[in-house]
Amino acid sequence: MQLITTISDIREQVAKARQQHQRIALVPTMGNLHEGHLTLVREARRHADVVVASIFVNPTQFGPNEDYDRYPRTLESDRQQLADSGCDLLFAPSAQEIYPNGLENLTRVHVPAVSEGLCAGSRPSHFDGVASVVSILFHSVWPDVALFGKKDYQQLGVIRKMVRDLHMPIEIVGVDTVRDNSGLALSSRNGYLSSEEHQQAALIRQRLSDIALNIRDSGDIERALTEGRQQLERDGFTLDYLECRDIHLTPVTSETQAVVVLVAVWLGTTRLIDNIEVTLNTAVA
Ligand code: PAF
């Protein structure tokens, strides 16, 4: 696996592959890789001949009081894991390479509607930062296909809409969340949890499954959410949000056939997100 740090070099490598009519996949990451990322890399191999992973801790998607400075940077072990998972090219640019003119007055990509509410409630500029950096990564690599985890469900929705609205000829593949044995969704931020917090965090998945069952049986989304919020608070979580949307992240209507329940909670100083998709049995009450 080759390590590449400049946009011109990654463009050159991708152009060579394209000349040989090879299909290119991109897996964008911020590093500190876990099995969830490596699953994306292995899945990418099923969609393309050349797999590119990027590692870039993007400053513009962190709020002023968030964990940009303490976000784990583990390039050496990430590099090894990517090589072992069959990645061909690792694109790991510096902030200077991606933002040579600094962050002030930077052109930003805003994806309306889907970037509002849910995580944006407590992270107002987060999705503008994500959409902007992903479009820079797309313009640097120009993959045929790009893969993202479904744990970041709203992020996936933002990227799907950006690609559609801007006519980017890139297929977006959402990949199921990878969980540990306790059911906790894998996340780089799980590393911040103490072992007690880790045990408690495993309840998030259980509560989401209970809410999903409740919605499927009763069709009464509001009641299921109210009970779910109360339960999560009894479990000791500080709730950021627990909400339900249709699977395209638009509001649920009488036509909706499948929904997603999305949650964000605080456990100490760590914010965790997860979600569950539910196919409705009965019409929404
Ligand atoms: O999901 C992530 O790790 C990041 O938000 C992404 C998509 C790599 C953009 O920085």
Side-chain angles (χ1 to χ4, degrees), residues 28-30 56 58 61 130 133-134 148 152 155 159:
T29 83
M30 297 205 300
F56 179 63
N58 172 38
Q61 69 189 76
V130 169
V133 80
V134 169
F148 297 85
D152 296 291
Q155 166 172 286
I159 290 161

mmCIF file of all heavy atoms in Angstrom, residues 28-30 56 58 61 130 133-134 148 152 155 159, ligand 1:
data_model
loop_
_atom_site.group_PDB
_atom_site.id
_atom_site.type_symbol
_atom_site.label_atom_id
_atom_site.label_comp_id
_atom_site.label_asym_id
_atom_site.label_seq_id
_atom_site.Cartn_x
_atom_site.Cartn_y
_atom_site.Cartn_z
ATOM 1 N N PRO A 28 -13.536 7.488 2.974
ATOM 2 C CA PRO A 28 -13.023 8.638 3.734
ATOM 3 C C PRO A 28 -13.095 8.362 5.238
ATOM 4 O O PRO A 28 -14.114 7.883 5.724
ATOM 5 C CB PRO A 28 -13.991 9.789 3.372
ATOM 6 C CG PRO A 28 -14.830 9.282 2.244
ATOM 7 C CD PRO A 28 -14.846 7.787 2.378
ATOM 8 N N THR A 29 -12.036 8.650 5.966
ATOM 9 C CA THR A 29 -12.028 8.447 7.422
ATOM 10 C C THR A 29 -11.255 9.591 8.092
ATOM 11 O O THR A 29 -10.579 10.366 7.420
ATOM 12 C CB THR A 29 -11.333 7.124 7.849
ATOM 13 O OG1 THR A 29 -9.914 7.335 7.892
ATOM 14 C CG2 THR A 29 -11.649 5.966 6.927
ATOM 15 N N MET A 30 -11.385 9.625 9.424
ATOM 16 C CA MET A 30 -10.537 10.547 10.191
ATOM 17 C C MET A 30 -9.493 9.743 10.979
ATOM 18 O O MET A 30 -8.919 10.246 11.956
ATOM 19 C CB MET A 30 -11.389 11.394 11.130
ATOM 20 C CG MET A 30 -12.374 12.281 10.356
ATOM 21 S SD MET A 30 -12.875 13.753 11.259
ATOM 22 C CE MET A 30 -13.611 13.025 12.697
ATOM 23 N N PHE A 56 -7.965 12.035 7.375
ATOM 24 C CA PHE A 56 -7.789 13.479 7.556
ATOM 25 C C PHE A 56 -8.715 13.907 8.694
ATOM 26 O O PHE A 56 -9.935 13.766 8.593
ATOM 27 C CB PHE A 56 -8.142 14.232 6.260
ATOM 28 C CG PHE A 56 -7.994 15.721 6.400
ATOM 29 C CD1 PHE A 56 -6.748 16.291 6.655
ATOM 30 C CD2 PHE A 56 -9.099 16.560 6.311
ATOM 31 C CE1 PHE A 56 -6.604 17.666 6.816
ATOM 32 C CE2 PHE A 56 -8.971 17.935 6.462
ATOM 33 C CZ PHE A 56 -7.724 18.488 6.714
ATOM 34 N N ASN A 58 -10.569 16.461 10.147
ATOM 35 C CA ASN A 58 -11.006 17.697 9.491
ATOM 36 C C ASN A 58 -11.425 18.761 10.506
ATOM 37 O O ASN A 58 -12.482 18.632 11.139
ATOM 38 C CB ASN A 58 -12.197 17.346 8.580
ATOM 39 C CG ASN A 58 -12.842 18.587 8.022
ATOM 40 O OD1 ASN A 58 -12.156 19.549 7.688
ATOM 41 N ND2 ASN A 58 -14.163 18.572 7.936
ATOM 42 N N GLN A 61 -15.217 20.415 10.829
ATOM 43 C CA GLN A 61 -16.446 19.747 11.268
ATOM 44 C C GLN A 61 -16.532 19.630 12.786
ATOM 45 O O GLN A 61 -17.464 19.026 13.315
ATOM 46 C CB GLN A 61 -16.602 18.385 10.591
ATOM 47 C CG GLN A 61 -15.604 17.326 11.017
ATOM 48 C CD GLN A 61 -15.707 16.092 10.136
ATOM 49 O OE1 GLN A 61 -15.247 16.078 9.003
ATOM 50 N NE2 GLN A 61 -16.308 15.028 10.650
ATOM 51 N N VAL A 130 -18.491 18.702 7.140
ATOM 52 C CA VAL A 130 -18.399 17.362 6.538
ATOM 53 C C VAL A 130 -18.601 17.449 5.023
ATOM 54 O O VAL A 130 -17.796 16.928 4.240
ATOM 55 C CB VAL A 130 -19.441 16.396 7.156
ATOM 56 C CG1 VAL A 130 -19.535 15.109 6.354
ATOM 57 C CG2 VAL A 130 -19.110 16.095 8.614
ATOM 58 N N VAL A 133 -15.556 19.094 3.284
ATOM 59 C CA VAL A 133 -14.326 18.303 3.180
ATOM 60 C C VAL A 133 -14.542 17.084 2.286
ATOM 61 O O VAL A 133 -13.642 16.701 1.526
ATOM 62 C CB VAL A 133 -13.750 17.914 4.560
ATOM 63 C CG1 VAL A 133 -14.480 16.722 5.168
ATOM 64 C CG2 VAL A 133 -12.264 17.612 4.452
ATOM 65 N N VAL A 134 -15.734 16.482 2.364
ATOM 66 C CA VAL A 134 -15.972 15.314 1.505
ATOM 67 C C VAL A 134 -15.963 15.759 0.048
ATOM 68 O O VAL A 134 -15.442 15.061 -0.823
ATOM 69 C CB VAL A 134 -17.277 14.575 1.896
ATOM 70 C CG1 VAL A 134 -17.664 13.531 0.858
ATOM 71 C CG2 VAL A 134 -17.103 13.901 3.261
ATOM 72 N N PHE A 148 -19.603 4.784 3.179
ATOM 73 C CA PHE A 148 -19.752 5.423 4.481
ATOM 74 C C PHE A 148 -20.546 4.504 5.390
ATOM 75 O O PHE A 148 -21.447 3.790 4.934
ATOM 76 C CB PHE A 148 -20.516 6.751 4.335
ATOM 77 C CG PHE A 148 -19.792 7.770 3.501
ATOM 78 C CD1 PHE A 148 -19.921 7.765 2.119
ATOM 79 C CD2 PHE A 148 -18.967 8.716 4.090
ATOM 80 C CE1 PHE A 148 -19.241 8.695 1.337
ATOM 81 C CE2 PHE A 148 -18.289 9.640 3.318
ATOM 82 C CZ PHE A 148 -18.426 9.638 1.942
ATOM 83 N N ASP A 152 -23.310 6.818 11.178
ATOM 84 C CA ASP A 152 -23.466 8.265 10.961
ATOM 85 C C ASP A 152 -24.555 8.468 9.907
ATOM 86 O O ASP A 152 -24.289 8.864 8.775
ATOM 87 C CB ASP A 152 -22.125 8.859 10.521
ATOM 88 C CG ASP A 152 -21.081 8.736 11.617
ATOM 89 O OD1 ASP A 152 -21.214 9.412 12.637
ATOM 90 O OD2 ASP A 152 -20.154 7.921 11.468
ATOM 91 N N GLN A 155 -25.094 11.948 8.407
ATOM 92 C CA GLN A 155 -23.960 12.264 7.517
ATOM 93 C C GLN A 155 -24.156 11.578 6.163
ATOM 94 O O GLN A 155 -23.948 12.188 5.104
ATOM 95 C CB GLN A 155 -22.671 11.788 8.180
ATOM 96 C CG GLN A 155 -21.470 11.750 7.242
ATOM 97 C CD GLN A 155 -20.183 11.458 7.965
ATOM 98 O OE1 GLN A 155 -19.657 12.309 8.653
ATOM 99 N NE2 GLN A 155 -19.650 10.250 7.823
ATOM 100 N N ILE A 159 -24.478 13.417 2.502
ATOM 101 C CA ILE A 159 -23.585 13.140 1.364
ATOM 102 C C ILE A 159 -24.380 12.649 0.158
ATOM 103 O O ILE A 159 -24.122 13.063 -0.975
ATOM 104 C CB ILE A 159 -22.471 12.161 1.796
ATOM 105 C CG1 ILE A 159 -21.541 12.916 2.747
ATOM 106 C CG2 ILE A 159 -21.695 11.641 0.588
ATOM 107 C CD1 ILE A 159 -20.695 12.063 3.604
HETATM 108 O O1 PAF B 1 -17.179 9.973 9.238
HETATM 109 C C1 PAF B 1 -16.071 10.528 9.287
HETATM 110 O O2 PAF B 1 -15.072 9.967 9.751
HETATM 111 C C2 PAF B 1 -15.917 11.950 8.772
HETATM 112 O O3 PAF B 1 -17.036 12.717 9.075
HETATM 113 C C3 PAF B 1 -15.580 12.038 7.270
HETATM 114 C C4 PAF B 1 -16.714 11.484 6.410
HETATM 115 C C5 PAF B 1 -14.310 11.283 6.986
HETATM 116 C C6 PAF B 1 -15.372 13.501 6.856
HETATM 117 O O4 PAF B 1 -14.339 14.093 7.570
#
